[in-house]
C-alpha cells in the first residue's frame, strides 16, 4: 500500500509546466564605478562638493586681503590632490593579475560549499576559476580575487588591495589636511564675525554696502550673490560641525592604518586575529553566570525537576545555570549537606549538579521511613520495659 498515493519510482515534478526559479547570474565588479553604487560613496561625493563650495565660495573670500593667496592655495592644493588620488583609487581595478586577464567575460561559477571547503584552495579560486597568488583573497562584495586584499571600502565602493592601498592612504591624508586648513578659516570667520565683522568685508564688492552691515556677499569675487549675515553664520557653523566630525573619523582611520603598517598587518589579518579573542571574551562572559567555585557566603538552591529525557533538558550551559541554580549572597550563611563528600568539597573542580530520579527518591523515602519506624519501635520498647 502506497501511503503517499504516488508511484514509488516517480522522480520528476508533478507539474512540468511550473517555472523553475532561476539562479541569479554572478558577475564580478570591475571597480568602484560598477553598479550598484553604494550609499556611502554618494555621501562622500556630496560632502566633498559641500566642503568645496562653502569653503572656497563663502569662507575663504571673507579673509583679509593679505591672507587670500594662502587661503586659496594651501587648501586648494590639498583638495585637488585628494580629488585626483580618490578618483584613481575608485577607478583602478585591484583584482589579481589572472583575474584581470579574463577581462570579466561570462558569468562566474557558483560556489558550492558541499564540494569545496574554501573558495580558494591550493592557490586556485573555484569562483573566478583561475590560479591566484598567495596574497590574494576573494571579496564577496566585488566577487573577485584581490591581490594583497586589505578590506572592501564602502566609501570608495571598491576593494583596497596591493594596487591601490597607497592611493587610499593618500586620499585619507589629503582629505584630513585640506579639511583642517578650511576648518581654521571657518573658525576665524565665525569668531571674527562677533569681534569685528568689518575685517571680513575687505573685498571691493563691500564698498557699496558700507552703510548696510546686515547685507553680505557670497561666492566672491567671480559670482557675487547677496545674502544676509545670519546665512553666513549658519553656513559657518554647519561647516565647522561637519568638518570636525569628518576629521575625527578620518583621523581615527589614518591612525588605525599606521598601526597596521607598524605591525605589518592588513585589515583582514587584524580582524582574523581579533576573532579568537572576541570568542574567548564571550566564553568568559558566559562563565560569569556559572562561577567555577562556590564561595562560603553563598547559598545554592537546587530546584528538583522531574523530566523524561535528561539528555535533551538543557540546550546550553547558560540555561542550566539560570534554571536550576540561584545564588543568594548572605553573610555567615552556609550550606550543610549530609550526603556531601568532604574530599569533593576541597577540590577546585566546579560543583556538579545532582538530580534525583523518581526511583531513587522512592528508595530514599523508604530508607527514611525504616529509620523512623526503628526509632519509634525502640522508643516503645524502652517505655514498656520501664513499666
Amino acid at each position: 500500500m502506497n501511503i503517499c498515493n504516488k508511484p514509488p519510482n516517480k522522480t520528476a515534478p508533478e507539474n512540468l509546466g511550473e517555472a523553475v526559479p532561476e539562479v541569479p547570474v554572478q558577475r564580478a565588479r570591475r571597480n568602484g564605478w560598477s553598479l550598484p553604487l553604494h550609499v556611502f560613496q554618494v555621501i562622500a561625493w556630496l560632502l566633498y562638493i559641500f566642503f568645496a563650495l562653502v569653503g572656497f565660495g563663502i569662507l575663504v573670500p571673507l579673509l583679509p586681503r593679505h591672507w587670500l593667496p594662502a587661503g586659496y592655495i594651501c587648501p586648494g592644493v590639498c583638495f585637488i590632490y585628494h580629488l585626483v588620488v580618490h578618483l584613481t583609487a575608485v577607478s583602478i581595478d585591484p583584482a589579481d593579475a589572472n583575474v584581470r586577464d579574463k577581462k570579466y567575460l561570462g558569468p562566474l561559477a557558483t560556489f558550492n560549499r558541499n564540494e569545496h571547503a574554501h573558495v580558494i584552495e591550493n592557490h586556485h579560486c573555484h569562483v573566478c576559476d583561475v590560479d591566484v597568488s598567495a596574497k590574494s583573497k576573494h571579496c564577496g562584495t566585488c566577487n573577485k580575487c584581490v591581490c594583497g586584499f586589505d578590506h572592501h571600502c564602502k566609501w570608495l565602493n571598491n576593494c583596497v588591495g596591493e594596487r591601490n592601498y597607497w592611493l587610499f592612504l593618500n586620499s585619507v591624508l589629503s582629505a584630513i589636511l585640506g579639511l583642517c586648513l578650511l576648518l581654521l578659516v571657518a573658525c576665524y570667520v565665525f569668531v571674527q564675525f562677533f569681534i569685528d565683522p568689518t575685517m571680513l568685508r575687505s573685498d571691493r564688492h563691500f564698498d557699496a554696502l558700507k552703510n548696510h552691515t546686515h547685507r553680505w556677499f557670497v561666492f566672491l569675487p567671480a559670482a557675487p550673490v547677496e545674502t544676509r549675515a545670519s546665512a553666513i553664520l549658519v553656513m559657518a557653523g554647519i561647516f565647522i560641525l561637519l568638518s570636525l566630525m569628518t576629521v575625527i573619523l578620518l583621523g581615527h582611520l589614518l591612525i588605525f592604518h599606521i598601526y597596521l603598517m607598524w605591525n605589518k598587518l592588513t585589515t583582514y589579518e587584524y580582524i582574523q586575529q581579533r576573532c579568537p579573542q572576541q570568542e574567548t571574551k564571550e566564553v568568559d562572559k558566559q562563565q560569569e553566570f556559572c562561577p567555577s567555585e562556590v564561595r562560603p557566603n553563598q547559598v545554592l538552591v537546587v530546584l528538583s525537576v522531574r523530566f523524561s529525557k535528561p539528555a535533551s533538558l538543557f540546550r546550553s550551559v547558560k540555561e542550566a545555570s539560570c534554571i536550576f541554580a540561584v545564588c543568594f549572597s548572605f553573610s555567615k550563611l552556609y550550606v550543610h549537606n549530609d550526603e556531601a563528600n568532604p574530599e569533593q568539597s576541597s577540590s577546585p573542580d566546579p560543583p556538579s549538579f545532582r538530580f534525583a530520579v523518581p526511583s531513587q527518591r522512592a528508595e530514599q523515602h523508604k530508607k527514611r521511613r525504616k529509620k523512623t519506624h526503628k526509632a519509634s519501635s525502640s522508643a516503645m520498647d524502652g517505655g514498656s520495659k520501664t513499666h
Side-chain angles (χ1 to χ4, degrees):
M1 180 178 179
N2 192 2
I3 300 175
C4 298
N5 200 15
K6 295 180 182 178
N9 60 348
K10 185 174 182 179
T11 56
E14 292 187 11
N15 190 1
L16 297 177
E18 291 182 355
V20 179
E22 296 182 358
V23 178
V25 178
Q26 297 183 358
R27 295 184 181 274
R29 300 179 67 255
R30 186 179 295 270
N31 51 33
W33 304 114
S34 300
L35 298 177
L37 300 179
H38 200 274
V39 178
F40 286 178
Q41 183 184 17
V42 179
I43 294 175
W45 285 109
L46 292 177
L47 286 175
Y48 182 87
I49 295 171
F50 172 80
F51 289 138
L53 288 178
V54 176
F56 296 102
I58 298 177
L59 301 177
V60 173
L62 297 179
L63 292 175
R65 291 183 181 179
H66 57 280
W67 287 0
L68 283 176
Y72 280 112
I73 294 173
C74 295
V77 170
C78 294
F79 265 67
I80 293 173
Y81 181 74
H82 171 78
L83 180 64
V84 173
V85 295
H86 189 94
L87 288 173
T88 309
V90 173
S91 303
I92 201 169
D93 186 4
D96 190 270
N98 294 332
V99 177
R100 284 183 278 116
D101 290 339
K102 291 182 65 175
K103 298 180 181 179
Y104 303 98
L105 298 176
L108 298 174
T110 303
F111 179 70
N112 189 357
R113 184 68 66 177
N114 297 325
E115 296 179 0
H116 307 285
H118 303 283
V119 179
I120 299 177
E121 293 178 340
N122 297 325
H123 304 302
H124 180 82
C125 180
H126 298 290
V127 177
C128 300
D129 197 19
V130 293
D131 293 332
V132 295
S133 63
K135 296 181 180 180
S136 296
K137 298 289 185 297
H138 191 89
C139 176
T141 305
C142 293
N143 207 9
K144 64 183 178 183
C145 288
V146 178
C147 183
F149 177 79
D150 187 85
H151 70 283
H152 181 85
C153 182
K154 297 179 180 179
W155 301 95
L156 298 178
N157 197 25
N158 196 12
C159 283
V160 177
E162 196 175 71
R163 300 190 68 201
N164 61 347
Y165 183 77
W166 287 104
L167 293 171
F168 163 75
L169 284 183
N170 285 314
S171 174
V172 174
L173 181 60
S174 58
I176 293 174
L177 291 177
L179 282 177
C180 285
L181 292 174
L182 286 182
L183 183 60
L184 291 176
V185 175
C187 291
Y188 171 80
V189 171
F190 192 84
V191 173
Q192 194 67 29
F193 196 91
F194 295 98
I195 296 175
D196 188 8
T198 57
M199 294 291 295
L200 306 177
R201 300 166 68 92
S202 60
D203 192 87
R204 58 183 180 84
H205 289 85
F206 288 105
D207 295 339
L209 300 176
K210 289 183 178 180
N211 298 327
H212 304 279
T213 57
H214 61 280
R215 296 169 61 186
W216 290 71
F217 284 110
V218 294
F219 301 111
L220 293 172
V225 177
E226 187 175 340
T227 184
R228 293 184 174 274
S230 58
I232 303 293
L233 283 176
V234 170
M235 295 305 296
I238 295 174
F239 186 93
I240 291 172
L241 291 177
L242 287 179
S243 58
L244 273 176
M245 293 174 58
T246 308
V247 168
I248 291 172
L249 294 175
L250 291 177
H252 180 269
L253 180 63
L254 181 62
I255 293 172
F256 173 70
H257 279 277
I258 292 173
Y259 167 80
L260 293 179
M261 288 188 295
W262 181 266
N263 292 278
K264 297 180 180 180
L265 294 173
T266 63
T267 306
Y268 178 78
E269 294 171 348
Y270 174 80
I271 294 174
Q272 277 190 327
Q273 291 182 3
R274 294 287 295 179
C275 284
Q277 297 179 5
Q278 292 179 357
E279 290 177 359
T280 54
K281 289 181 180 179
E282 291 178 358
V283 172
D284 293 338
K285 289 181 179 179
Q286 291 179 358
Q287 290 178 354
E288 289 178 0
F289 292 96
C290 185
S292 59
E293 296 181 359
V294 179
R295 298 177 183 177
N297 61 345
Q298 291 179 344
V299 58
L300 186 66
V301 180
V302 179
L303 308 177
S304 60
V305 177
R306 295 183 180 180
F307 53 93
S308 59
K309 296 181 179 180
S312 62
L313 181 62
F314 300 127
R315 299 297 177 88
S316 65
V317 178
K318 189 184 292 184
E319 292 179 0
S321 61
C322 292
I323 296 175
F324 293 96
V326 182
C327 295
F328 300 94
S329 297
F330 295 101
S331 61
K332 299 181 181 180
L333 186 58
Y334 301 93
V335 178
H336 178 73
N337 188 3
D338 295 334
E339 299 178 357
N341 189 358
E343 296 179 359
Q344 292 180 357
S345 61
S346 61
S347 64
D349 296 333
S352 58
F353 298 98
R354 297 181 179 179
F355 306 100
V357 184
S359 61
Q360 295 178 359
R361 287 186 187 175
E363 293 177 359
Q364 293 176 3
H365 187 61
K366 289 180 180 179
K367 290 180 180 179
R368 291 178 182 176
R369 290 182 61 183
K370 287 180 180 180
K371 290 181 181 179
T372 54
H373 181 69
K374 288 180 180 180
S376 61
S377 61
S378 60
M380 292 174 64
D381 294 337
S384 63
K385 287 178 182 180
T386 55
H387 289 293

